[in-house]
Amino acid sequence: MNTGVHTGVNNAVEIRGLIKTYGETHAVAGVDLDVRTGEVFALLGPNGAGKTTTIEILEGYRDRDGGTVSVLGEDPSKAGLAWRNKIGIVLQSNNDAAEITVEEILNFFSDYYVNPRNVDEVINAVGLEEKRKARGRELSGGQRRRLDVALGILGNPELLFLDEPTTGFDPEARRAFWDLIRGLRADGTTILLTTHYLDEAEALADRVGVINHGRIIEVATPATLGGRDSAKVIVRWSENGSAQEERTDSPTEFLRSLGTRFTGEIPDLTVSRPTLEDIYISMIEGQG
Amino acid sequence: MNTFKIGVSRGNLEIRQFLRQRESVVFTLLFPVLLLLIFGSVFKNTIAPGVTFSQYFVAGMIASGLINTGFQQLAIMIPLERDDGTLKRLRGTPMPPTSYFIGKILSVLACMIVQIVLLLVVGALMFGVQLPTDLGRWVTFTWVTLLGITGSTLLGIAFSSVPRSGRGASAMVTPIVLVLQFISGVFFIFNQLPSWMQNVASIFPLKWLTQGMRSVFLPESFASQEVAKSWEHGRVALMLTIWIVIGLVLALKTFRWERSR
């Protein structure tokens, strides 16, 4: 099994044996993980699996109880402001900046960075042009989230953390957000994201890691996770008035023989491979 | 230098936010003026030769204005900022933490200047409060104000770690300030309070601030009416400095960027 550890390559994030306990609970129970420079890595897992704890240790918000962590070559628990200048953080929900407008907060925050992006460009990138004069409390949930993302990318980060970035987005906004992330990736930004949307992980991530009960279960590309590429293909059709299903390793051959049983089109024919979500659910359920 | 520049930028942002919250503008800036109007109109008596109660009250209100705009404002606002994620977001940027505090100090300073001007104008126009004409009194005013605002700000930052949530902060902080105002010579004349109450008040900074402000705004002859028969400038400076040190140590030791889990 691929454990996600690749020594020797240029990694933006390297985690070895990470442990974090809250009282009796092992929130993170020995995580090894690498995020390669320039990739989009999605960390998947149910609520309480240790995603946010892991990410917040990488962001320098939390101390760890064991293991080693390197983020852009530094230990986040000791790293200074120069290191913070190179990372961007999009946290889970905030309600701050109630009385300041979108363009004001971006202008003020760009004072904190050495090499900030142009504020107008950032506003356009997240699609808040029409809300640039709106105050924080006047934004909808999805618009607020886009402001969070805008503040996260404002400093031109080498490494961007996105903790459930598209919660509350409508489908159109989500697509626009995906384009934004692809653009950042094309510019060389390394992105570590957590999400509950498996289609989002599939659309964006070069690699995904599944975490449960504080441990990494598997790291792979979205196409190969959990043996997805070698899983049987499901063929569904209708015959004699009832739904039929066949799981096969050789769908083309099966379809040829199936086709001979019908004079015209095969009714209600679908041919599908398991989705990332199917694979993910079976991995998590298999863990109990 | 960069830390200071970012601090000024923070101050600008803080002041903007403050002015847009109508409740805070009314409560912090106008409430003391309203109190002056009420107390000044009700208690028109003379409390010593050439000193009216409203003059005494203006000196006390300026002193407690330092506590209102610094300690009270920060001890309520910072827990709210901790709850709504302002502090956590800032911690994730390369903003130097000191700049955050510089911003707070600047906004407190701006607020305080506006409040002092309002109180002096209303006091002078309606209640015959006389502004000092000699340099010595303005020097006293300056050092008392500087020590007061420094201590008040630091203690506000230190106290901001006490309330468990932003919502509870106001209920916790407001009574403390109110009680101090009652026992420190703001609403009542200090030398008429029971001596045990005077002794309790003498532990806290507001008593020393009101005394320092009285030495600025009341005639020299009133010094004999003070409990110690003098303005005690040395002790005022000493007590305020002690509270600055206490505030600084506590602020550095206890400040949290996130709400406790």
Side-chain angles (χ1 to χ4, degrees):
Chain A
M1 191 174 79
N2 186 348
T3 59
V5 175
H6 295 263
T7 45
V9 273
N10 188 8
N11 292 325
V13 176
E14 287 187 4
I15 310 174
R16 294 292 177 277
L18 180 64
I19 291 172
K20 176 72 184 178
T21 41
Y22 294 118
E24 297 286 294
T25 326
H26 294 276
V28 181
V31 162
D32 296 320
L33 187 68
D34 287 342
V35 176
R36 297 171 194 155
T37 299
E39 78 174 338
V40 176
F41 189 98
L43 193 56
L44 310 175
N47 287 329
K51 293 193 302 286
T52 297
T53 303
T54 302
I55 298 262
E56 291 201 343
I57 289 170
L58 300 180
E59 291 165 341
Y61 281 117
R62 246 166 253 336
D63 291 328
R64 58 185 185 270
D65 297 319
T68 59
V69 174
S70 163
V71 176
L72 298 178
E74 291 190 55
D75 179 344
S77 66
K78 301 190 179 78
L81 299 177
W83 175 80
R84 294 217 166 270
N85 191 59
K86 295 188 287 186
I87 65 169
I89 295 176
V90 177
L91 295 162
Q92 286 188 33
S93 63
N94 275 322
N95 300 303
D96 57 337
E99 301 296 339
I100 346 175
T101 69
V102 168
E103 64 179 4
E104 278 176 324
I105 192 169
L106 286 165
N107 276 317
F108 278 112
F109 270 62
S110 52
D111 290 345
Y112 313 155
Y113 293 95
V114 174
N115 184 26
R117 289 164 62 117
N118 178 285
V119 167
D120 293 329
E121 260 175 52
V122 171
I123 290 176
N124 290 344
V126 299
L128 281 177
E129 299 93 333
E130 282 164 25
K131 289 286 167 186
R132 57 186 302 147
K133 303 271 185 208
R135 295 186 189 179
R137 61 177 162 77
E138 297 163 341
L139 300 177
S140 71
Q143 289 163 347
R144 261 218 79 93
R145 213 67 196 109
R146 280 187 260 170
L147 175 58
D148 289 335
V149 173
L151 287 164
I153 64 174
L154 180 64
N156 238 330
E158 287 174 31
L159 171 62
L160 178 62
F161 294 100
L162 297 165
D163 205 355
E164 299 180 14
T166 59
T167 307
F169 279 33
D170 56 40
E172 199 189 336
R174 174 167 291 132
R175 297 286 162 160
F177 173 79
W178 291 357
D179 287 339
L180 170 65
I181 297 305
R182 291 184 183 117
L184 290 172
R185 184 189 181 282
D187 292 341
T189 311
T190 307
I191 294 164
L192 176 50
L193 114 129
T194 73
T195 181
H196 283 303
Y197 302 108
L198 279 298
D199 59 336
E200 183 159 289
E202 176 138 40
L204 294 179
D206 297 297
R207 294 191 305 148
V208 296
V210 178
I211 187 172
N212 199 14
H213 302 307
R215 288 174 204 277
I216 298 284
I217 307 174
E218 192 181 341
V219 175
T221 64
T224 60
L225 187 80
R228 184 181 174 199
D229 50 337
S230 58
K232 289 189 190 309
V233 172
I234 306 161
V235 181
R236 291 193 181 90
W237 72 99
S238 295
E239 196 166 358
N240 305 326
S242 69
Q244 307 289 321
E245 181 180 308
E246 174 76 22
R247 288 169 188 257
T248 170
D249 286 325
S250 46
T252 312
E253 203 181 304
F254 178 77
L255 280 176
R256 257 190 220 112
S257 70
L258 184 64
T260 58
R261 298 185 353 220
F262 295 90
T263 45
E265 288 294 310
I266 305 169
D268 302 326
L269 175 69
T270 63
V271 180
S272 60
R273 292 175 188 275
T275 62
L276 188 59
E277 187 156 332
D278 295 332
I279 296 288
Y280 168 80
I281 296 288
S282 66
M283 288 175 84
I284 297 298
E285 281 176 348
Q287 283 249 312
Chain B
M1 195 54 216
N2 198 35
T3 301
F4 185 74
K5 231 176 77 187
I6 295 175
V8 172
S9 158
R10 286 293 313 164
N12 185 347
L13 177 62
E14 299 268 8
I15 291 167
R16 254 184 235 209
Q17 273 177 295
F18 175 82
L19 291 176
R20 287 176 191 175
Q21 285 168 309
R22 228 163 286 143
E23 313 84 351
S24 69
V25 173
V26 171
F27 190 76
T28 313
L29 290 182
L30 299 182
F31 193 62
V33 176
L34 188 70
L35 280 183
L36 175 61
L37 285 171
I38 294 169
F39 274 69
S41 309
V42 172
F43 304 102
K44 287 185 170 300
N45 51 325
T46 303
I47 58 169
V51 180
T52 63
F53 180 78
S54 39
Q55 283 175 295
Y56 190 93
F57 190 68
V58 166
M61 280 312 282
I62 288 174
S64 56
L66 303 181
I67 303 291
N68 284 322
T69 50
F71 176 78
Q72 187 171 8
Q73 175 83 350
L74 295 182
I76 292 172
M77 281 308 293
I78 294 176
L80 287 172
E81 292 188 343
R82 198 177 280 129
D83 270 12
D84 72 17
T86 302
L87 293 187
K88 191 173 183 183
R89 190 198 293 286
L90 287 172
R91 194 76 192 100
T93 73
M95 177 204 73
T98 312
S99 304
Y100 172 77
F101 298 112
I102 292 174
K104 286 286 179 214
I105 291 167
L106 290 176
S107 73
V108 164
L109 210 60
C111 202
M112 185 204 71
I113 290 170
V114 171
Q115 184 169 113
I116 289 178
V117 169
L118 281 175
L119 285 170
L120 285 180
V121 167
V122 172
L125 291 180
M126 301 189 62
F127 304 109
V129 172
Q130 281 159 9
L131 297 184
T133 47
D134 59 308
L135 185 67
R137 283 176 175 241
W138 283 115
V139 170
T140 306
F141 176 77
T142 307
W143 70 254
V144 170
T145 303
L146 285 179
L147 290 181
I149 206 73
T150 310
S152 174
T153 304
L154 289 169
L155 289 166
I157 293 167
F159 199 85
S160 74
S161 301
V162 178
R164 289 184 64 84
S165 73
R167 214 174 286 177
S170 177
M172 202 168 195
V173 175
T174 312
I176 294 176
V177 174
L178 211 56
V179 168
L180 282 180
Q181 286 174 329
F182 275 111
I183 67 172
S184 301
V186 179
F187 299 135
F188 301 127
I189 296 161
F190 191 73
N191 65 15
Q192 294 173 0
L193 297 175
S195 57
W196 67 266
M197 204 181 271
Q198 293 176 349
N199 292 336
V200 172
S202 300
I203 302 169
F204 298 103
L206 184 54
K207 184 259 178 192
W208 302 101
L209 281 173
T210 59
Q211 196 168 313
M213 287 301 174
R214 285 197 295 275
S215 80
V216 174
F217 294 103
L218 299 188
E220 195 56 42
S221 61
F222 193 83
S224 61
Q225 302 286 316
E226 294 290 340
V227 176
K229 310 292 177 207
S230 112
W231 298 124
E232 295 183 288
H233 277 166
R235 286 193 77 182
V236 170
L238 177 71
M239 286 305 287
L240 293 179
T241 307
I242 289 173
W243 276 103
I244 286 173
V245 174
I246 292 173
L248 182 65
V249 170
L250 288 178
L252 289 174
K253 271 193 154 352
T254 62
F255 193 80
R256 289 181 285 115
W257 294 91
E258 289 177 59
R259 61 192 150 226
S260 49
R261 257 170 296 253

